[in-house]
Structures are given as structure tokens and as C-alpha cells.
């Protein structure tokens, strides 16, 4: 029979969290979110919406990146001392900026909550994850590499305050009372379940076809799962967003990511959301609106 070590009690983590206090916590968040008093929304509402008495339903669209693009993303991140998570956050910021028309965007990111000096924290069982806002400015004139470096710098700064309570962060922001800071969150799944459950040779069994259902109280959740083929999954409220519009967004992702890594030294303005064929179809085929004109 398996002899599993007894994990440290979760109460040890709670006790450690309660002792954490950074005197500059409030000032950090006030400075980070200063001037943000409205959301950069994706105005993609369906024609008919769910009534307030009905429970909100969630729809889901997904996309697997090709092994070639997945490898290229990892290699680009490694060669420029970036993380894959940084590339994904940069991609999502660009999509939000272009759809909303606002270069200054805020969305949620998740942190593991285990980045602290506490013995046995990796084997503890309990709720550690936290969701916090990240604010990114998209400057079309800088190079993609400089933009991604700014994303990683902001991510690194936020990690020093990853145990902040979201309720406190909202209180320190300039967002009107009762409104959320974020319409969407990006969840980077940095623990690939499928790989961890693969056959290691000494096991007599293999677990496969792992499925999970994840829901948040945010209207949009963008999940990224690393692997040989990086998996992108967009979960959204069906009463607030059209499925066909969200399908287009998930299809933008691989095109934009490819554009980002191919043009990492080029200005951000040169990155594209659509393939050349799609753009030509929109601007040429869809624009065939000629009509005969009677000159008399």
C-alpha cells in the first residue's frame, strides 16, 4: 500500500499570511491603478440577453497551437529571458487594447500563492491561488521585445504583493464603488496535469483524458495550458458575449502570437490579428459593393 507522507497543516499557511505586512502595499496599488476609473470593455454583446431571474450560462471555445508555434514561443521566451506567461499576458493585452480602442488595459492574473518561505508549502493541501489586477500600457511605437519586457517587469513587481486581498486592492483603486476592476482574467496553468500523470515507467497504471470544469465570477476567463501543443481555452458568459465573436478572438491568438515572435524586434504596431488571407477576404471580397449607376 502507498505510504504517503502527512502534509503540513494548511493552518500553518494561514498563520504565515496573517503575519505578512508590507507598509507600502496600499501605495503600490494606488500608484499601479491610478487613473483607472472604468473598464476597457469588449463590446460584444449578444442580440438577446439572459433575464436577471435566470442563471448565467457559460460557453467555451478553445484552440490548440501547433507544435511548431508552441516550440517557437518557448524558444523566443528563453532566448530573451522572458517567461511563456509573459508572452501570453502580452498577447491578451494587445487583443484587449485593439478591441476596446484603449491602450491602457487592466485584466486579472492568477498567482500560485505558494511563493513564500514556509517549510512544506509545496505539499500542503488548500486554497492558495489569488487573482489580482495587472495594468499594462500598449505603446504601438516601441518594439515588441521592449513591450514584453515591460509586461514582465510589471508582473515581477506585482509578485511582491501577490498576497494582497482583492477587496483591499479595489478599495485602494479609483474605480467607483460596486464596480469590478476587471472584466477578464488570464489563468496560466503552470502545472500541466496530463504530463504529471503520464506513465513514468515504474507505475503499473496511466491516467489519461483528464477533464475539469472551472468557473470564476469574472465574465471572461482565458486559460493557457502549456504542453507540446499549448492549449488555449476561452470561457465566457453567454449573456454578455456572442459566441461567434469569442470564437474570432480565440482564432486571433495564434496569429497574433506568431506575429509577435516573428517580429519581436519590430514595432508593436506591426503585429497583426488576422492572417493575410483573412484580411484580403475582408477588404476585397467583402467590399464588392459595386452597383450599376444610371447617369441619366
Amino acid at each position: 500500500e502507498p505510504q504517503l507522507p502527512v502534509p503540513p497543516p494548511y493552518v500553518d499557511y494561514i498563520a504565515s499570511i496573517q503575519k505578512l505586512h508590507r507598509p507600502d502595499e496600499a501605495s503600490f496599488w494606488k500608484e499601479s491603478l491610478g487613473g483607472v476609473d472604468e473598464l476597457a470593455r469588449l463590446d460584444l454583446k449578444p442580440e438577446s440577453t439572459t433575464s436577471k431571474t435566470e442563471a448565467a450560462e457559460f460557453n467555451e471555445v478553445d484552440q490548440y497551437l501547433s507544435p511548431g508555434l508552441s516550440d517557437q514561443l518557448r524558444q523566443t521566451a528563453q532566448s530573451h529571458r522572458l517567461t511563456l506567461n509573459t508572452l501570453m499576458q502580452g498577447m491578451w493585452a494587445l487583443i484587449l487594447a485593439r478591441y476596446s480602442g484603449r491602450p491602457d488595459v487592466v485584466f486579472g492574473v492568477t498567482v500560485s500563492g505558494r511563493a513564500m518561505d514556509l517549510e512544506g508549502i509545496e505539499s500542503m493541501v488548500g486554497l492558495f491561488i489569488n487573482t489580482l489586477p495587472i495594468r499594462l500600457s500598449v505603446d504601438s511605437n516601441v518594439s515588441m521585445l521592449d513591450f514584453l519586457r515591460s509586461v514582465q517587469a510589471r508582473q515581477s513587481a506585482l509578485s511582491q504583493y501577490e498576497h494582497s486581498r482583492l477587496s483591499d486592492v479595489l478599495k485602494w483603486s479609483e474605480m467607483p464603488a460596486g464596480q469590478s476592476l476587471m472584466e477578464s482574467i488570464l489563468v496560466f496553468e503552470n502545472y500541466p496535469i496530463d504530463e504529471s500523470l503520464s506513465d513514468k515507467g515504474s507505475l503499473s497504471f496511466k491516467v489519461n483524458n483528464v477533464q475539469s470544469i472551472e468557473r470564476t465570477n469574472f465574465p471572461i476567463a482565458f486559460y493557457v495550458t502549456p504542453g507540446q501543443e499549448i492549449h488555449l481555452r476561452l470561457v465566457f458568459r453567454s449573456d454578455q458575449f456572442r459566441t461567434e465573436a469569442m470564437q474570432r478572438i480565440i482564432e486571433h491568438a495564434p496569429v497574433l502570437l506568431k506575429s509577435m515572435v516573428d517580429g519581436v524586434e519590430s514595432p508593436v504596431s506591426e503585429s497583426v490579428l488576422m492572417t493575410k488571407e483573412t484580411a484580403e477576404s475582408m477588404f476585397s471580397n467583402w467590399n464588392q459593393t459595386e452597383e450599376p449607376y444610371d447617369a441619366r
Side-chain angles (χ1 to χ4, degrees), residues 49-290:
T49 58
T50 305
S51 67
K52 293 183 179 180
T53 57
E54 297 179 25
E57 294 186 358
F58 287 83
N59 284 347
E60 180 178 318
V61 293
D62 72 332
Q63 176 91 263
Y64 279 92
L65 304 185
S66 69
L69 178 55
S70 298
D71 285 340
Q72 189 180 6
L73 289 167
R74 285 187 285 265
Q75 291 169 7
T76 299
Q78 184 177 11
S79 62
H80 294 289
R81 297 185 178 181
L82 301 170
T83 65
L84 185 58
N85 191 13
T86 294
L87 268 64
M88 296 301 168
Q89 289 183 9
M91 173 269 295
W92 188 238
L94 289 172
I95 288 178
L96 291 180
R98 296 194 180 173
Y99 265 76
S100 67
R102 299 166 61 96
D104 192 13
V105 298
V106 178
F107 58 93
V109 292
T110 56
V111 293
S112 69
R114 296 180 186 263
M116 61 185 305
D117 186 15
L118 181 62
E119 184 177 356
I121 190 171
E122 288 300 327
S123 59
M124 282 185 184
V125 178
L127 179 62
F128 296 86
I129 195 170
N130 195 13
T131 303
L132 293 169
I134 187 169
R135 181 185 188 180
L136 299 176
S137 296
V138 179
D139 185 347
S140 297
N141 298 316
V142 305
S143 70
M144 181 61 69
L145 182 56
D146 285 342
F147 167 64
L148 292 173
R149 284 171 175 165
S150 71
V151 173
Q152 185 148 301
R154 173 54 57 181
Q155 183 182 344
S156 177
L158 185 147
S159 68
Q160 305 301 311
Y161 304 87
E162 68 175 28
H163 296 103
S164 297
R165 292 185 295 185
L166 185 56
S167 58
D168 288 337
V169 175
L170 182 58
K171 180 179 62 178
W172 293 323
S173 74
E174 298 176 19
M175 190 65 69
Q179 293 192 26
S180 174
L181 265 170
M182 308 163 301
E183 183 178 55
S184 64
I185 64 170
L186 188 144
V187 182
F188 188 84
E189 305 276 12
N190 57 359
Y191 184 77
I193 296 177
D194 289 339
E195 292 182 12
S196 69
L197 294 178
S198 62
D199 189 0
K200 303 300 182 182
S202 61
L203 300 178
S204 59
F205 64 93
K206 180 178 180 179
V207 179
N208 55 24
N209 192 25
V210 177
Q211 300 181 19
S212 64
I213 298 176
E214 299 171 87
R215 293 289 181 265
T216 75
N217 61 317
F218 298 99
I220 302 173
F222 197 116
Y223 296 92
V224 179
T225 305
Q228 183 179 4
E229 297 180 335
I230 297 173
H231 185 209
L232 308 179
R233 189 160 55 97
L234 195 57
V235 180
F236 57 94
R237 284 184 55 144
S238 58
D239 61 331
Q240 295 187 26
F241 304 98
R242 300 191 304 275
T243 299
E244 62 272 18
M246 303 309 278
Q247 179 65 44
R248 282 197 300 271
I249 288 180
I250 201 76
E251 291 172 358
H252 289 327
V255 179
L256 179 55
L257 288 166
K258 177 67 173 173
S259 176
M260 289 167 61
V261 295
D262 284 347
V264 71
E265 301 288 354
S266 303
V268 170
S269 58
E270 295 185 9
S271 59
V272 297
L273 297 179
M274 297 180 292
T275 63
K276 183 178 179 180
E277 293 74 19
T278 301
E280 289 178 350
S281 178
M282 288 183 62
F283 295 117
S284 179
N285 299 340
W286 293 5
N287 203 32
Q288 300 299 318
T289 58
E290 296 91 344

Side-chain angles (χ1 to χ4, degrees), residues 33-54:
L33 300 171
V36 178
D37 55 7
E38 63 177 314
L39 290 174
R41 294 184 180 277
L42 296 179
D43 189 14
L44 302 170
K45 294 181 180 179
E47 294 182 1
S48 59
T49 58
T50 305
S51 67
K52 293 183 179 180
T53 57
E54 297 179 25

